[in-house]
Amino acid sequence: MFRFLLGRLAVLVPTFIGVSIIAFSFIRLLPGDPVALLSGERVMSPERHAEISHQLGFDRPIVVQYLDYLWGVVRGDFGTSIVTKKPVIDQFMELFPATVELSLCAIIFAVVVGIPAGVIAAIKRGSILDQLIMGTALVGFSMPIFWWGLLLIIVVSGMLQWTPVSGRISLMFFFPSVTGFMLIDSLLSGQEGAFQSAFSHLILPTIVLGTIPLAVIARQTRSAMLEVLSEDYVRTARAKGLPTFRVVGIHALRNAMIPVVTTIGLQIGVMLAGAILTESIFSWPGIGKWMVDSVFRRDYAVIQGGLLIIAGVIMLVNLAVDMLYGLINPRIRH
Amino acid sequence: MKKLTTLFAATALATLMAGTAWSKTFVFCSEGSPEGFDPGLYTAGTTFDASAHTVYNRLLEFKKGTTETEPGLAESWTISDDGLEYTFKLRPGVKFQTTEFFTPTRELNADDVVFSLERQWKSDNPWHGYVTGGSWEYFAGMGLPELLESIEKVDDMTVKIKLKRKEAPFLANLAMPFASIMSKEYADKLQAEGKMNQLNQMPLGTGPFSFVAYQQDAVIRYKAHPDYWGGKQKIDDLVFSITTDAAVRFQKLQAGECHLMPYPNAADVEAMKADPNLKVMEQAGLNVAYLAYNTTQAPFDKVEVRKALNKAINKQAIVDAVFQGQATPATNPIPPTMWSYNEHLEEDTYEPEVAKKMLEDAGVKDLSMKVWAMPVARPYMLNARRAAEMMQADFAKIGVKVEIVTYEWAEYLEKSKAKDRDGAVILGWTGDNGDPDNFLDTLLGCDAVGGNNRAQWCNKEFDDLVTKAKEASDVAERTKLYEEAQVVFKREAPWATLDHSLSIVPMRKNVEGFVQSPLGDFAFDGVDIVE
């Protein structure tokens, strides 16, 4: 296992360096003067330009600049926001829990609904139920997030008034953030109705963000199940007269889960991309919305630093998924 | 810092909860996050709504719903006979807000005014560069660094400002957000503690609402300033719920999650008007969209050619197609909500046959021209490409061939300034200070050729009128001069004036006391919720 981990890390380091080079080049490749972009100053005298250029270290060789940047990143310095003047990493840490909370709920929703749907479709292969599930999954998979989110808001929040429209909690509640997770913080606040409010605010964004992973997981589960169900050992189990629940639920499902776990892992990267749209629609103050807002504010330092941190997180998540996969299926380690 | 924030939030919470039983909360679904809370540093309306119109006051204020000025923190003022010295008497007994982060020990005095303006002016002021990369864009943009001679404290309640030359719009400039008056006492404390940046993050002023907390990109909280010199507000808490998507803002308004929203989607307005729980206010925005010919280039140097083209444009059709009725065709270069708007000017009627004849009479045959279409939507022009295409069709009817060109926005603005530019440019303007000078001189004056004057039009008669008006201090006299200037403009036709878009503000039915501002800002003093 340790060697396996080392091998993964050996791939991770050069990948991270590659991403850091892209992030570093970002400001330099954009049209316009990087000094003006990074300082945010629009009107500059040549003297002021030289001064800022020196402050930012732009007058040094590019390799030195990059190494300095990388050294900063290693120490956790991802730059400072042009707009808020706060370190990018601090802002990230403030907003990340909101994204994690939403993503976790979405992935739980996708797994809890997707796996049973896939299993049912596989067992009832070819039936109307199967076609219905697979058809829905296809629709879900091809649904543009933005449209889907607005549609749900208009119908569920607007017409039916079942859920709130956007945000993380009703504005009537106001308490300090302890964990950053609204579900937990609202409980800790001890305010009556706070948890219900936080929960109801989570419903729609969870569904929207979970839709694509749900569709992918359902399809993956179905095909993995079909494959496993045709295996000899399943037929043997059936022949031995084991009840269907045992055959499907224990023998088949466990083995079918191996590719599904990978799929779930891969969906986490997809979800971070989906979070950008979902958070924007639902005014969910997480890193996805933060990145979009930064683009509008032309906060290049945040875009640059944020991209690198997000890439780092995705890589770590993928590493964790690989490890988990290695644990479930020892063969992969060799 | 983090501990402090938590402590601060907790105290704020306690304060908030203590008042829960009676508190009346007004929620504004704002369209974006403020760039910061120091209005001097920024130019966006979103930022001013969250800072200048809540937390701060100015020496003069715009009278609600108009572009006229009235006394604000300055109770009265006198102007010297040569028009160069302005002496402001400050309103006595104006209290700064008491917040969790600062308790003021004194009332407003002349030091605060001198501090607020000088920091933007003098580069040796320690506050001049307190935000890295921050620049005093409006202060510089209104030409104040060159205009000001001195700002002095005469006594505690008197400030004297000397100018280098006469400038009638000066008073209106002082009513603009950038001229908000801050507390010097607060600033001094921050400076002593080495926390100057906080001035831009935790604002404190004399305005109707005091700042409580801001959660980036999500929510800004204010509460009513109990000792506000204009009287305590009827609402206790003001909340900005930042909601960037216009469709979502509409849903929140419908669901009662907010009371008022800015900038609705044009397509939603009908549904808003139909909703019994909502009401919709509308008025012509303080803006204009225009097509600027290059009057220095043949054949557009001939008035007859420009007039002929103006007659060939079906403005009503453009307004209908681009704005779905939420704009009015423009006759003048200033909008009808602006004082000195000349109501007696005749609109160029749409008469393609007449236009064709005029063109022939001017000896212009087989004309082909470029029309520049802006790549972005602005309030005054939602879809320039569409408008350009419609003009292309209109011009084709009189035998003029049009090629539509466009550039990336920054490049578009820059390239369209060139004196020898080829083609007519679609562009527009939203007023800054409610002064006609801000349109007529800024966009059409001789000094603006090669800059904001996209028509490159320098007409002595017009320029003299506008310059004279700038130097006159009597409003009636200025009005007369501006009305005459508009006559010259219409006669010479350097632009085809296209439209003034409507500004539309939907709100819950139970909102009372909101007054739409022709300057496009959202201020909530005087607002109430009735049940």
Side-chain angles (χ1 to χ4, degrees):
Chain A
M1 195 65 199
F2 184 65
R3 271 185 57 189
F4 173 68
L5 178 67
L6 272 187
R8 288 290 146 155
L9 278 176
V11 184
L12 211 64
V13 171
T15 316
F16 189 76
I17 289 177
V19 176
S20 73
I21 291 175
I22 296 172
F24 172 78
S25 324
F26 174 74
I27 299 239
R28 287 153 184 87
L29 292 176
L30 279 173
D33 172 22
V35 177
L37 290 180
L38 263 188
S39 70
E41 284 191 32
R42 272 163 274 193
V43 196
M44 262 188 275
S45 63
E47 298 81 49
R48 177 86 181 130
H49 188 279
E51 187 192 325
I52 298 178
S53 182
H54 180 72
Q55 263 175 27
L56 295 170
F58 273 93
D59 50 357
R60 298 170 306 160
I62 192 101
V63 180
V64 177
Q65 288 182 44
Y66 171 71
L67 289 176
D68 192 48
Y69 171 73
L70 197 64
W71 175 230
V73 166
V74 171
R75 285 172 305 158
D77 174 11
F78 288 83
T80 307
S81 158
I82 297 167
V83 176
T84 62
K85 313 291 172 201
K86 281 195 227 164
V88 172
I89 187 75
D90 287 4
Q91 269 182 295
F92 178 86
M93 295 312 281
E94 245 169 65
L95 299 170
F96 194 49
T99 302
V100 171
E101 184 175 41
L102 176 58
S103 304
L104 270 180
C105 289
I107 205 79
I108 291 170
F109 165 72
V111 168
V112 167
V113 182
I115 292 180
V119 171
I120 293 169
I123 301 171
K124 306 274 180 195
R125 181 186 189 176
S127 71
I128 294 182
L129 194 61
D130 176 26
Q131 286 173 9
L132 195 72
I133 291 172
M134 284 305 105
T136 315
L138 188 66
V139 174
F141 185 66
S142 23
M143 193 95 77
I145 289 187
F146 209 82
W147 180 82
W148 178 220
L150 274 181
L151 183 78
L152 280 180
I153 288 181
I154 291 171
V155 176
V156 181
S157 312
M159 285 155 73
L160 301 169
Q161 310 223 332
W162 286 348
T163 62
V165 180
S166 72
R168 290 184 80 187
I169 191 160
S170 162
L171 294 168
M172 301 310 291
F173 300 104
F174 182 40
F175 42 78
S177 162
V178 181
T179 62
F181 296 95
M182 194 57 90
L183 285 178
I184 301 173
D185 286 350
S186 62
L187 280 176
L188 291 179
S189 78
Q191 291 185 37
E192 203 183 325
F195 178 78
Q196 285 89 326
S197 176
F199 185 80
S200 62
H201 278 80
L202 253 169
I203 296 173
L204 287 193
T206 296
I207 293 176
V208 169
L209 187 56
T211 298
I212 291 177
L214 163 63
V216 174
I217 290 170
R219 286 160 57 120
Q220 177 70 51
T221 308
R222 178 179 179 269
S223 65
M225 274 305 274
L226 284 178
E227 203 171 299
V228 174
L229 284 176
S230 64
E231 296 268 343
D232 288 344
Y233 72 89
V234 173
R235 258 180 284 161
T236 311
R238 280 193 205 270
K240 276 163 58 182
L242 285 175
T244 315
F245 170 75
R246 273 196 74 97
V247 176
V248 176
I250 311 246
H251 294 261
L253 189 60
R254 258 184 88 165
N255 286 312
M257 275 302 96
I258 293 169
V260 175
V261 169
T262 319
T263 308
I264 296 173
L266 289 175
Q267 287 309 305
I268 292 173
V270 177
M271 281 224 305
L272 279 169
I276 289 179
L277 286 175
T278 312
E279 290 180 359
S280 294
I281 307 170
F282 291 97
S283 307
W284 192 267
I287 50 167
K289 186 166 184 303
W290 177 50
M291 293 306 284
V292 174
D293 291 339
S294 300
V295 171
F296 282 120
R297 280 195 288 259
R298 296 188 180 75
D299 197 337
Y300 297 107
V302 166
I303 305 169
Q304 172 183 289
L307 279 180
L308 191 57
I309 305 176
I310 293 171
V313 169
I314 294 181
M315 281 187 240
L316 286 179
V317 169
N318 280 342
L319 178 71
V321 170
D322 278 348
M323 306 285 298
L324 190 66
Y325 196 25
L327 282 177
I328 301 179
N329 185 1
R331 276 180 303 174
I332 198 82
R333 283 185 242 158
H334 302 292
Chain B
M1 183 66 205
K2 183 136 196 188
K3 246 187 192 158
L4 191 79
T5 324
T6 316
L7 191 72
F8 161 59
T11 339
L13 165 72
T15 327
L16 203 79
M17 276 176 47
T20 312
W22 310 271
S23 85
K24 210 180 236 189
T25 305
F26 182 90
V27 182
F28 172 55
C29 274
S30 66
E31 78 285 6
S33 309
E35 300 153 286
F37 289 91
D38 183 342
L41 291 166
Y42 307 101
T43 55
T46 309
T47 302
F48 297 152
D49 290 342
S51 56
H53 302 310
T54 47
V55 177
Y56 295 111
N57 291 125
R58 288 138 294 278
L59 289 178
L60 283 80
E61 300 279 353
F62 288 109
K63 207 181 281 176
K64 271 206 172 278
T66 74
T67 56
E68 292 157 45
T69 51
E70 63 178 8
L73 294 180
E75 204 176 30
S76 63
W77 51 88
T78 51
I79 306 171
S80 65
D81 290 338
D82 60 2
L84 295 179
E85 272 186 31
Y86 288 69
T87 310
F88 297 92
K89 276 270 165 224
L90 299 186
R91 190 179 292 278
V94 172
K95 288 195 166 64
F96 282 100
Q97 297 140 5
T98 301
T99 61
E100 297 302 327
F101 47 90
F102 184 69
T103 309
T105 62
R106 63 164 176 82
E107 292 171 350
L108 173 87
N109 70 28
D111 291 331
D112 300 312
V113 177
V114 174
F115 162 73
S116 301
L117 296 176
E118 259 192 2
R119 69 198 183 110
Q120 306 193 35
W121 179 28
K122 301 231 160 126
S123 53
D124 57 351
N125 186 300
W127 287 88
H128 191 71
Y130 85 101
V131 168
T132 332
S135 60
W136 309 99
E137 252 179 271
Y138 251 119
F139 190 83
M142 304 313 285
L144 289 171
E146 300 81 46
L147 181 68
L148 291 175
E149 172 75 40
S150 67
I151 304 174
E152 305 159 29
K153 167 183 179 174
V154 178
D155 58 54
D156 259 3
M157 296 317 275
T158 315
V159 178
K160 186 182 275 181
I161 302 182
K162 283 190 193 155
L163 306 184
K164 286 191 183 136
R165 54 177 161 78
K166 283 209 232 172
E167 170 103 343
F170 177 63
L171 284 175
N173 289 346
L174 290 182
M176 291 172 65
F178 77 85
S180 293
I181 303 300
M182 324 217 132
S183 159
K184 181 165 193 299
E185 195 192 2
Y186 177 47
D188 285 345
K189 180 185 166 249
L190 293 180
Q191 192 179 354
E193 290 172 358
K195 294 194 295 195
M196 289 166 85
N197 222 1
Q198 187 179 314
L199 189 72
N200 191 27
Q201 284 155 7
M202 297 180 174
L204 182 131
T206 58
F209 298 98
S210 64
F211 175 85
V212 176
Y214 172 43
Q215 189 193 349
Q216 169 107 31
D217 299 331
V219 57
I220 316 171
R221 291 174 190 279
Y222 307 89
K223 64 180 169 63
H225 174 22
D227 306 315
Y228 182 50
W229 58 270
K232 188 188 171 294
Q233 297 302 308
K234 290 175 188 138
I235 51 172
D236 304 289
D237 296 294
L238 173 67
V239 175
F240 279 32
S241 174
I242 299 165
T243 313
T244 40
D245 190 279
V248 176
R249 284 202 294 278
F250 175 33
Q251 292 303 324
K252 289 183 82 154
L253 186 69
Q254 264 192 321
E257 285 177 38
C258 54
H259 295 97
L260 190 142
M261 67 171 271
Y263 314 116
N265 278 332
D268 290 337
V269 174
E270 277 316 303
M272 288 169 176
K273 288 181 178 164
D275 189 322
N277 296 315
L278 304 182
K279 59 184 174 188
V280 177
M281 278 187 184
E282 54 185 39
Q283 69 172 199
L286 198 73
N287 60 38
V288 64
Y290 56 82
L291 175 75
Y293 305 107
N294 186 344
T295 56
T296 63
Q297 307 284 308
F300 306 104
D301 52 348
K302 287 189 186 159
V303 182
E304 304 78 38
V305 175
R306 304 196 293 259
K307 284 237 163 218
L309 291 171
N310 282 1
K311 278 188 99 58
I313 301 174
N314 187 349
K315 282 186 212 175
Q316 189 62 50
I318 293 176
V319 166
D320 290 345
V322 174
F323 291 90
Q324 299 176 28
Q326 282 148 37
T328 48
T331 305
N332 288 358
I334 58 174
T337 46
M338 172 90 86
W339 60 270
S340 82
Y341 179 84
N342 190 333
E343 288 167 13
H344 306 292
L345 289 179
E346 290 266 338
E347 170 67 333
D348 305 297
T349 43
Y350 169 58
E351 287 169 303
E353 285 309 316
V354 178
K356 199 169 176 179
K357 175 121 195 338
M358 283 169 74
L359 216 52
E360 277 165 18
D361 292 349
V364 175
K365 257 195 271 175
D366 303 325
L367 176 62
S368 41
M369 63 184 288
K370 283 182 183 154
V371 167
W372 293 39
M374 302 145 51
V376 293
R378 305 311 276 170
Y380 49 75
M381 181 46 72
L382 296 183
N383 188 341
R385 180 92 208 173
R386 186 81 206 277
E389 284 165 5
M390 295 182 72
M391 283 186 230
Q392 188 178 41
D394 286 340
F395 288 164
K397 285 183 198 152
I398 60 165
V400 175
K401 259 196 76 196
V402 167
E403 183 198 345
I404 299 172
V405 293
T406 192
Y407 299 95
E408 184 273 323
W409 186 221
E411 207 183 341
Y412 186 94
L413 289 175
E414 206 47 49
K415 280 193 164 170
S416 56
K417 287 180 184 166
K419 285 188 191 166
D420 58 349
R421 180 202 74 224
D422 184 15
V425 171
I426 298 179
L427 210 62
W429 186 258
T430 300
D432 290 314
N433 58 357
D435 198 285
D437 181 74
N438 185 248
F439 280 73
L440 297 175
D441 192 31
T442 309
L443 303 177
L444 293 157
C446 289
D447 286 347
V449 168
N452 277 326
N453 188 337
R454 281 353 196 253
Q456 319 299 348
W457 182 64
C458 179
N459 178 294
K460 182 136 195 334
E461 193 184 353
F462 179 90
D463 205 55
D464 284 350
L465 285 167
V466 172
T467 311
K468 241 166 104 186
K470 194 203 238 335
E471 287 169 359
S473 43
D474 177 47
V475 176
E477 189 192 341
R478 293 187 71 203
T479 304
K480 208 171 131 270
L481 292 165
Y482 285 132
E483 281 177 352
E484 276 172 49
Q486 289 167 71
V487 174
V488 178
F489 167 86
K490 206 63 199 168
R491 191 184 72 217
E492 295 292 320
W495 298 347
T497 48
L498 299 177
D499 67 79
H500 309 294
S501 70
L502 291 178
S503 107
I504 295 178
V505 183
M507 64 195 82
R508 301 288 300 175
K509 259 244 156 77
N510 59 4
V511 173
E512 262 183 19
F514 179 79
V515 181
Q516 219 180 337
S517 159
L519 294 157
D521 39 49
F522 289 84
F524 301 102
D525 47 319
V527 167
D528 194 10
I529 312 165
V530 289
E531 292 309 329

